[in-house]
Amino acid sequence: MRTDTPQPIRLTDYRPFPFLIEDTQLEFRLDPTATRVKATLRVRRDGTHDQPLVLNGERLKLLSVAIDGKPVSDNQRTLDDELLTLTGVPDQFVLTTEVEIDPSANKALMGLYMSGGRFCTQCEAEGFRTITYFPDRPDVLSRYTVRIEADASFQHLLSNGNLGDSGDLGDGRRYAVWNDPFPKPAYLFALVAGELDVLEDSFTTMSGRQVALRLFVDPGQAPRAVYALDSLKRAMKWDEEAWGREYDLDLFMFVAVRDFNFGAMENKGLNIFNSSLLLADARTATDQDYERIESVVAHEYFHNWTGDRITCRDWFQLCLKEGLTVFRDQSFSADMRGAAVCRIKDVKALRARQFAEDAGPLAHPVRPSSYLKIDNFYTATIYEKGSEVIRMLKTLLGDDAFRAGSDLYFERHDGQATTVEAFIACYADASGRDLTDFFAWYEQAGTPTVTLSHVYDARAKTLELTLTQATAPTPGQPTKRPLPIPVTIGLLDQDGARLRDSEVVVLDTATKTVRWEGVASPPVISALRGFSAPVTLETDTRPVDRYVQFAADPDLFNRWEAGQTLARELILSRAAGAPDEVNEERYAEALGRALDDPAADHAFKALLLALPSESDLSLAMQPADPAALHAARDALKLRVAVHLGDRLRQLHVELQSEAEFSTDAAAAGRRALRNACVELLACDPHAANVERVVGHFEAAATMTDAIGGLNALAQVGGEPFDAALAAFHARWKGEPLVLDKWFSVQARDPSEGAIGRVLGLTAHPDFDATNPNRFRALVQGFSSGNPARFHDPSGAGYAFLADQILAVDAYNPMTAARLVEPLGSWRRYVPELGGLMRAQLERIVAQQGLSKNVLELAGKALD
């Protein structure tokens, strides 16, 4: 039984820090096992009070502490495992501390640690306190000067800002001094030291300034960083044109690191990236990798204004920087790769991650009100739903008023740590609109369900639309209030021709009825166009009308959505024991016609071929039966593969990879459709199809086609799959990022022996649980990406995941906590599975020495 009860941190308890840290000077004497850090802080009391100075510090060996050069006496200081408290301090003084830390022993990858023989940092959210004693909170802004000393073998010594001085010390060591002129919170501090290759370029800003660009990678990897550097330059130009934001330093650097808990980190002037999100070439990276690199490079760069120049007052305001920046990077990707395809992909990700989060015990508002560990709130709700809230704001205000509000936000709050209230106030002031009710989107958890019904009067040519909204109770919020929901609606006739252009209906009460005149014929209602709000939509639309949309809706999102809805209803019907084979054939025929549409691009057609995921389907089935859903989905895939076999084989030939590889959207779309075809053909594994799939894999000239072939062979299974896995490993065993894909494909093995395969891979010589990329590829790939086998009736999948959570929690609590969610949804599943999932959560919570990270999420999942 646990006896310790960590206390939550609450938004209502926020108080400003009672001191200002006007300047921070850091001196690092780097050593892998005994790094010395000397911090000199110029401190001033903020206001008239006699509060002590309380500094955060964890896993630090304190060597000395002095005020204005005089050692602090023992009776003036109190030291425990988390805090250094100094009493009786002057109103203004210089505080000097020196500590020793062991980067090589830091397997949590927070603070200063070693990766591949190099020093690296990750300080968001609370890693800086493991480097030195400091008020480690986002509202304490300070100007930093950093001196780094290290062995001369550490070729590059990097930190935030501009390089002030560097050189040799004459004793086999060298140094560098960095000055950052912009005040920043401690979580944006960064340091990298090591032997690295550098790719250099420059960018001319809209005001004519030259900015040096430097991308640091492992030796020999510079050619794989070219695309990331190109993405950065395009992002810099786009941010100037779309948002009026210009880069502000003389130098912008980013570094690729193999061991990294996050995707990337926006440290001011020195972004640090997981190497999987910087390095790419056609041989080793898929088109999805290229898309993610483009998006994440842009995301981290955009943080320069939405996160660095303007940051969060406290961590409850995390969506202020993350939701807004996700919206910015999604908008950038839409301009780079096509709005409709990007929108569909964004919504697929939102539904898979955030809708599931909202439907379970870990549901929380976009701005939460309490936490034990803020690390646990780097969630889809904060990021993706936070972005959707910004998108709705733009829809409600219009482009011009939204841009005016954004400009006012940058003007009013530059150089500040601020709040969501202040952000929304800028848009209210710029537009003259009352946005009080809109703020509920930040405070209320859950996914609203919007129901739309209609009555058409043929004689009067009128259409009456009735919309209602309801949000199910979520933890701590049993009662929900209506939200302002923009629902974009257009009308088609029964032949798919336009009857009425898109119009935004704002559903801001529990029920709303609108009446449209002059509707010439019975309409097909195209509602929630462009996915105008993060809601679940239920309508009285007939299947025949959905087929009209699937064939002709000019809103490509709703065209795709019509196909998904038709497929979802067929799969759910079969899973419930009532297969509708006639309409399954009709769906396959309609899909074939969509493939022949010359106006649709290849990437869009590839998305049409993908059936709703098992995770999405589980949200629509109460209680969810993973085995039934898996079997029903496979049955529909087989029907489509058989019905469209000739067309799929024809397309597979027509879409042969071009002679010269291109990263552009059109070329990526061709590859996406070709691989979608081969994956469907693998679902009908007769000899000719298997031969085609094997040939696709063996002839692959790009990693996109190689992984596409490997995924298809996973559907085939048996000797062809095993032979391909062996060949792939033999070829790529020296490439860590490619080997992650090898583990990931096997984690998603749909065969009944998947759990045995995954267990065996944990003992594979190439598996390293301390590397987050490798660990996530296998363990998260299985628990989140292979629902049919994770939910094995024996409970073996649940036990495996619990074992992994407990093992990793001992050294990397952040990574461990992110694995709790698949078990946390136990209430949504059939009782015989839910009980087994709950038992594993109980086993986790009973563990002594459990981290706050895992305890918070596992405890919430049980409550």
Side-chain angles (χ1 to χ4, degrees):
M1 179 180 295
R2 299 188 62 89
T3 57
D4 54 326
T5 306
Q7 296 302 303
I9 298 170
R10 302 184 188 280
L11 174 59
T12 53
D13 293 336
Y14 171 80
R15 300 292 183 275
F17 191 66
F19 294 86
L20 302 176
I21 311 297
E22 296 175 325
D23 291 294
T24 298
Q25 295 183 22
L26 300 175
E27 299 176 33
F28 288 85
R29 283 182 285 165
L30 296 178
D31 182 277
T33 61
T35 289
R36 294 284 184 96
V37 184
K38 182 179 180 181
T40 303
L41 315 180
R42 190 156 59 89
V43 185
R44 179 164 57 87
R45 191 181 303 277
D46 189 11
T48 57
H49 60 80
D50 59 357
Q51 296 181 49
L53 177 65
V54 181
L55 305 176
N56 304 102
E58 298 176 12
R59 302 194 303 276
L60 303 174
K61 179 181 178 182
L62 181 61
L63 303 178
S64 65
V65 54
I67 292 177
D68 292 332
K70 298 179 180 179
V72 173
S73 62
D74 290 342
N75 62 7
Q76 194 181 356
R77 77 182 196 194
T78 302
L79 183 65
D80 61 28
D81 290 342
E82 296 183 353
L83 300 171
L84 171 62
T85 302
L86 303 177
T87 60
V89 297
D91 290 342
Q92 192 166 332
F93 59 97
V94 174
L95 174 69
T96 305
T97 61
E98 188 168 6
V99 302
E100 184 177 284
I101 55 179
D102 183 355
S104 66
N106 183 356
K107 303 305 180 186
L109 311 184
M110 288 296 288
L112 180 66
Y113 62 93
M114 303 296 294
S115 175
R118 303 172 190 87
F119 291 90
C120 179
T121 58
Q122 171 56 40
C123 293
E124 187 176 357
E126 297 177 334
F128 193 74
R129 64 190 61 190
T130 67
I131 294 175
T132 188
Y133 287 100
F134 198 83
D136 191 6
R137 44 188 286 171
D139 59 345
V140 176
L141 308 182
S142 185
R143 287 183 172 84
Y144 284 68
T145 299
V146 179
R147 178 184 173 91
I148 307 168
E149 296 182 8
D151 187 90
S153 62
F154 291 92
Q155 176 187 9
H156 295 284
L157 307 178
L158 310 176
S159 192
N160 310 83
N162 298 316
L163 181 62
D165 189 19
S166 64
D168 294 325
L169 292 171
D171 55 355
R173 293 175 67 80
R174 57 192 311 275
Y175 77 96
V177 178
W178 292 86
N179 301 301
D180 188 351
F182 294 96
K184 65 176 180 284
Y187 81 85
L188 291 174
F189 169 78
L191 180 152
V192 174
E195 182 182 358
L196 299 160
D197 283 355
V198 58
L199 188 65
E200 298 191 69
D201 205 334
S202 64
F203 179 80
T204 303
T205 70
M206 59 185 180
S207 68
R209 288 192 307 107
Q210 285 288 314
V211 177
L213 308 177
R214 294 175 190 160
L215 198 163
F216 296 87
V217 297
D218 287 346
Q221 296 295 310
R224 295 186 186 180
V226 170
Y227 185 75
L229 193 56
D230 176 69
S231 298
L232 172 64
K233 295 177 70 173
R234 285 185 284 116
M236 296 176 80
K237 180 177 177 58
W238 183 89
D239 207 23
E240 292 181 344
E241 294 173 348
W243 289 73
R245 299 299 103 195
E246 181 177 350
Y247 188 64
D248 47 14
L249 291 169
D250 300 330
L251 172 66
F252 185 85
M253 301 175 287
F254 45 154
V255 183
V257 176
R258 171 69 180 152
D259 302 291
F260 205 65
N261 282 334
F262 288 84
M265 180 62 211
E266 71 267 20
N267 317 295
K268 180 70 177 178
L270 178 58
N271 289 188
I272 298 178
F273 280 70
N274 190 313
S275 56
S276 66
L277 292 170
L278 274 191
L279 303 179
D281 60 24
R283 293 174 58 254
T284 59
T286 65
D287 290 327
Q288 184 179 22
D289 293 328
Y290 278 101
E291 288 181 24
R292 292 182 67 223
I293 287 169
E294 181 179 72
S295 171
V296 176
V297 165
H299 180 96
E300 303 307 325
Y301 172 75
F302 296 156
H303 265 312
N304 185 62
W305 276 94
T306 52
D308 295 0
R309 289 282 289 261
I310 306 175
T311 191
C312 308
R313 186 197 70 178
D314 52 73
W315 287 120
F316 297 101
Q317 320 295 329
L318 182 59
C319 65
L320 181 65
K321 71 182 187 75
E322 295 301 347
L324 177 56
T325 305
V326 169
F327 174 71
R328 277 154 53 72
D329 83 56
Q330 289 178 346
S331 302
F332 168 75
S333 294
D335 284 350
M336 296 297 108
R337 294 184 171 270
V341 167
C342 285
R343 187 62 180 144
I344 292 168
K345 290 179 178 180
D346 291 341
V347 173
K348 281 167 62 78
L350 178 80
R351 287 172 170 166
R353 299 177 59 226
Q354 199 281 319
F355 277 26
E357 197 166 83
D358 257 348
L362 303 181
H364 57 274
V366 174
R367 186 179 71 176
S369 59
S370 69
Y371 61 81
L372 289 182
K373 287 293 291 182
I374 187 56
D375 301 337
N376 290 336
F377 283 92
Y378 285 76
T379 63
T381 297
I382 302 296
Y383 281 67
E384 279 80 11
K385 187 174 181 179
S387 171
E388 294 299 319
V389 173
I390 303 296
R391 186 180 302 273
M392 285 189 292
L393 182 64
K394 184 176 183 180
T395 299
L396 291 169
L397 297 182
D399 291 351
D400 291 343
F402 180 82
R403 174 60 188 267
S406 301
D407 290 345
L408 181 59
Y409 174 64
F410 294 127
E411 177 185 346
R412 184 180 286 177
H413 295 290
D414 186 16
Q416 297 180 9
T418 191
T419 64
V420 177
E421 285 91 345
F423 172 74
I424 294 297
C426 293
Y427 292 89
D429 292 347
S431 66
R433 297 274 294 273
D434 184 352
L435 297 175
T436 303
D437 292 340
F438 184 81
F439 198 80
W441 277 105
Y442 286 99
E443 297 179 315
Q444 186 164 284
T447 301
T449 295
V450 172
T451 303
L452 186 153
S453 61
H454 78 284
V455 175
Y456 176 68
D457 187 328
R459 189 174 66 176
K461 308 297 184 186
T462 61
L463 175 67
E464 188 172 274
L465 300 171
T466 299
L467 297 92
T468 65
Q469 63 168 295
T471 305
T474 56
Q477 294 184 341
T479 304
K480 303 294 185 177
R481 61 186 187 265
L483 299 164
I485 301 174
V487 183
T488 304
I489 304 174
L491 302 180
L492 310 175
D493 67 16
Q494 297 297 317
D495 295 322
R498 181 187 64 82
L499 272 181
R500 187 183 180 103
D501 289 335
S502 294
E503 181 174 324
V504 177
V505 175
V506 180
L507 175 60
D508 51 6
T509 54
T511 301
K512 186 169 190 172
T513 299
V514 297
R515 181 183 174 90
W516 287 349
E517 307 282 347
V519 179
S521 63
V524 173
I525 299 169
S526 175
L528 205 69
R529 283 184 160 178
F531 199 69
S532 56
V535 302
T536 298
L537 179 66
E538 297 178 356
T539 73
D540 58 359
T541 302
R542 302 171 302 164
V544 65
D545 292 340
R546 294 205 189 281
Y547 280 107
V548 172
Q549 287 187 264
F550 192 30
D553 200 319
D555 183 89
L556 292 183
F557 176 86
N558 271 16
R559 186 175 176 189
W560 169 82
E561 180 81 314
Q564 292 288 292
T565 302
L566 289 166
R568 183 184 307 112
E569 291 173 352
L570 291 168
I571 293 169
L572 291 174
S573 180
R574 180 177 281 273
D580 184 352
E581 296 186 356
V582 171
N583 278 305
E584 286 178 355
E585 282 292 323
R586 184 181 182 188
Y587 170 77
E589 290 175 6
L591 192 55
R593 288 193 295 272
L595 286 178
D596 291 334
D597 181 357
D601 66 27
H602 296 313
F604 179 70
K605 291 178 181 179
L607 291 168
L608 293 181
L609 283 180
L611 299 181
S613 72
E614 291 174 44
S615 298
D616 287 344
L617 293 165
S618 71
L619 292 173
M621 185 182 193
Q622 300 298 330
D625 183 341
L629 288 172
H630 180 72
R633 185 174 183 271
D634 274 2
L636 185 57
K637 285 176 70 177
L638 175 59
R639 187 172 296 277
V640 170
V642 172
H643 188 96
L644 298 179
D646 290 342
R647 184 68 182 109
L648 294 172
R649 285 183 284 272
Q650 179 185 1
L651 276 171
H652 185 252
V653 173
E654 291 174 356
L655 296 168
Q656 292 280 0
S657 297
E658 61 276 15
E660 185 175 345
F661 176 80
S662 171
T663 61
D664 67 33
R670 289 176 60 87
R671 290 187 289 270
L673 181 54
R674 189 166 189 265
N675 281 286
C677 289
V678 83
E679 185 168 347
L680 264 179
L681 289 170
C683 297
D684 179 22
H686 58 70
N689 276 353
V690 172
E691 182 180 357
R692 180 179 294 271
V693 174
V694 171
H696 179 97
F697 170 76
E698 291 179 345
T702 67
M703 185 54 62
T704 298
D705 286 344
I707 291 297
L710 207 54
N711 282 327
L713 286 168
Q715 307 294 318
V716 174
E719 190 278 335
F721 183 40
D722 290 336
L725 286 171
F728 191 92
H729 184 271
R731 181 176 182 183
W732 298 110
K733 60 186 176 182
E735 292 282 354
L737 294 179
V738 179
L739 213 53
D740 290 340
K741 303 179 194 301
W742 183 77
F743 278 94
S744 180
V745 168
Q746 295 179 83
R748 291 167 169 79
D749 176 5
S751 74
E752 293 182 358
I755 182 62
R757 183 188 292 273
V758 170
L759 282 167
L761 285 170
T762 61
H764 193 282
D766 291 323
F767 182 72
D768 178 7
T770 65
N771 177 260
N773 285 358
R774 187 62 46 84
F775 183 79
R776 285 190 290 259
L778 182 63
V779 178
Q780 193 170 35
F782 172 70
S783 60
S784 296
N786 196 350
R789 302 311 165 201
F790 174 64
H791 292 288
D792 186 272
S794 69
Y798 309 147
F800 166 75
L801 181 59
D803 289 343
Q804 296 299 315
I805 290 170
L806 291 173
V808 173
D809 190 51
Y811 57 85
N812 193 332
M814 181 185 297
T815 295
R818 293 184 174 193
L819 294 172
V820 170
E821 191 278 330
L823 292 172
S825 57
W826 62 272
R827 291 177 180 83
R828 291 196 287 108
Y829 290 90
V830 291
E832 53 268 34
L833 296 179
L836 294 172
M837 298 166 77
R838 181 183 173 87
Q840 294 301 326
L841 286 168
E842 290 171 340
R843 177 163 76 94
I844 291 170
V845 170
Q847 181 78 15
Q848 291 294 321
L850 199 65
S851 70
K852 290 181 182 179
N853 303 64
V854 173
L855 176 61
E856 179 177 25
L857 296 188
K860 284 183 176 180
L862 285 170
D863 287 345

